[in-house]
Amino acid sequence: MIRRTADLSPAARDGFDALIDVRSPSEFALDHLPGALNLPVLDDAERASVGTEYVQGSKFLARRRGAALVARNIAAHLEAALAERGGGFKPLVYCWRGGQRSGAMVTVMDQVGWPVTLLEGGYQTWRRQVAHALHDAPLAHRLVLIDGPTGSGKTALLQALVAKGVQILDLEALAAHRGSLFGAMPDGQPSQKAFESRLHDALSRLDPARPVVVEAESSRIGARVVPPSLWAAMSVAPVIELDVPVEARLAFTLDAYASIAADPEAIDAALTRLPRHHAKSTVAEWRALAAAGEIEALARALMVEHYDPAYRRQGATRERTLLDRIRLSELSPAALDAVATDVISALDRSREPI
């Protein structure tokens, strides 16, 4: 029997052996349920061809051809991606709206004997849930921000907090961007919708009764925009500020960005994206340092003349409760582990249970 559900809570999704997205690869690439497997019943070219025939030619011929293509593709999936699945395989299947494409897949899977479930409303059910949580409703979670100038080890501190059982939200990991001029990652960023799906999934797995520690970010991480509900919560969240000397931040940054330091073209391309308030002569000097391989001198100049002034300007416009200011002389793993303990103490002092 084909089951149906519209429950996409973490517990419900985790109860399935697989989440199967039968939409085309391009639809899947734009966004999908986190952890889903793409087994398209029509690929992009097939979907476009059938759609064109349906609109411009014969609806009957379009349906017949589409049915043949869907049957062949489902058969291919049964013989390849699904070949090793046993009789107890319990999948959730969805398409765009829970219509013909997912209907065809679940019909065949049901006949195979698998306890298959169809997602009512398809991907649109998920997208409405994400949009409501991140655009319409106030965020249920209580956030605490970790702030500090560039190179203060904020992201590394989040991982140290995870090891101590503190809830965190790693925005840079979810956005696949380190949030700085040189923050691009090799595989690029997810789409805005996919970023929001990742955010919603991460938030839905956190306990709203406990604080969630987040790195202070701007409203844009690379090309991705922090959704309104999350940004509103971040804008009023209390702050724990890291105070780290330039030399320690410089050493940490050079180590963290070693891969881009080895790519002069990537550095030069990033420098061309600097804000226009920097004098052309200054930018030219920085590009010359990059071309000459003077990476430490370049990093120091950018930190002192670009990043730190920007950090001070942003701080002057924010009105947030300061929970603590933690001073570090260096950013070794041991030092960050000690800071994580200090952060937990600050949360305790704020009377927020860990």
Side-chain angles (χ1 to χ4, degrees):
M1 182 184 76
I2 298 172
R3 300 158 180 80
R4 294 174 178 270
T5 188
D7 183 359
L8 289 175
S9 64
R13 286 182 279 132
D14 292 347
F16 294 101
D17 296 325
L19 308 177
I20 298 179
D21 186 324
V22 300
R23 298 176 302 155
S24 68
S26 65
E27 292 173 290
F28 181 83
L30 182 64
D31 187 28
H32 52 266
L33 272 67
L37 170 68
N38 188 210
L39 298 180
V41 298
L42 291 172
D43 66 24
D44 292 306
E46 291 166 343
R47 183 167 175 253
S49 176
V50 171
T52 299
E53 175 67 27
Y54 189 88
V55 173
Q56 299 179 3
S58 165
K59 290 181 173 57
F60 168 75
L61 292 177
R63 286 193 293 266
R64 187 178 70 182
R65 181 164 180 271
L69 290 169
V70 166
R72 290 192 197 104
N73 290 331
I74 292 176
H77 295 320
L78 291 172
E79 293 171 347
L82 301 174
E84 303 301 319
R85 299 290 189 171
F89 178 52
K90 183 183 175 184
L92 174 70
V93 177
Y94 70 93
C95 62
W96 182 253
R97 292 190 181 90
Q100 293 181 341
R101 288 184 286 176
S102 55
M105 179 67 101
V106 298
T107 296
V108 173
M109 293 181 122
D110 180 60
Q111 289 300 306
V112 169
W114 286 320
V116 61
T117 301
L118 176 71
L119 176 58
E120 292 184 334
Y123 163 79
Q124 289 296 315
T125 296
W126 170 254
R127 180 58 197 169
R128 283 193 296 271
Q129 179 176 304
V130 172
H132 176 73
L134 295 179
H135 290 258
D136 303 327
L139 200 72
H141 303 75
R142 295 176 296 148
L143 307 182
V144 175
L145 302 186
I146 298 293
D147 207 354
T150 294
S152 297
K154 298 183 290 292
T155 301
L157 176 57
L158 290 183
Q159 299 312 310
L161 288 167
V162 169
K164 294 181 180 295
V166 177
Q167 294 191 133
I168 68 140
L169 185 67
D170 190 341
L171 294 178
E172 293 185 357
L174 295 169
H177 196 283
R178 287 180 284 191
S180 68
L181 189 65
F182 302 96
M185 295 184 182
D187 294 331
Q189 292 191 263
S191 71
Q192 180 67 28
K193 286 183 177 180
F195 172 50
E196 292 180 7
S197 283
R198 294 178 182 186
L199 275 174
H200 178 59
D201 180 53
L203 285 164
S204 67
R205 295 177 184 278
L206 298 175
D207 182 359
R210 299 167 55 206
V212 178
V213 180
V214 187
E215 181 176 346
E217 299 279 0
S218 67
S219 61
R220 188 179 294 271
I221 306 171
R224 301 286 76 89
V225 176
V226 177
S229 297
L230 177 57
W231 182 245
M234 291 176 66
S235 298
V236 298
V239 175
I240 296 171
E241 188 177 275
L242 304 181
D243 184 357
V244 187
V246 170
E247 293 302 321
R249 291 190 285 123
L250 180 62
F252 186 84
T253 300
L254 288 171
D255 182 63
Y257 285 83
S259 59
I260 194 169
D263 188 346
E265 291 185 3
I267 295 176
D268 191 67
L271 291 172
T272 63
R273 298 192 295 270
L274 281 162
R276 293 182 179 179
H277 66 259
H278 289 297
K280 291 182 180 179
S281 59
T282 300
V283 175
E285 289 175 7
W286 293 344
R287 294 180 71 181
L289 288 173
E294 299 289 343
I295 302 303
E296 183 173 345
L298 172 64
R300 185 186 300 276
L302 286 170
M303 190 170 287
V304 173
E305 300 177 48
H306 171 64
Y307 287 113
D308 286 1
Y311 175 73
R312 289 191 292 269
R313 287 195 300 271
Q314 291 170 358
T317 63
R318 292 171 177 164
E319 295 183 5
R320 295 170 174 165
T321 301
L322 182 65
L323 290 183
D324 200 358
R325 179 177 288 109
I326 301 173
R327 291 179 170 81
L328 300 88
S329 59
E330 47 103 14
L331 292 168
S332 66
L336 288 169
D337 184 74
V339 170
T341 300
D342 291 340
V343 168
I344 293 173
S345 297
L347 293 173
D348 285 338
R349 289 196 301 273
S350 71
R351 299 182 181 180
E352 301 285 2
I354 299 298

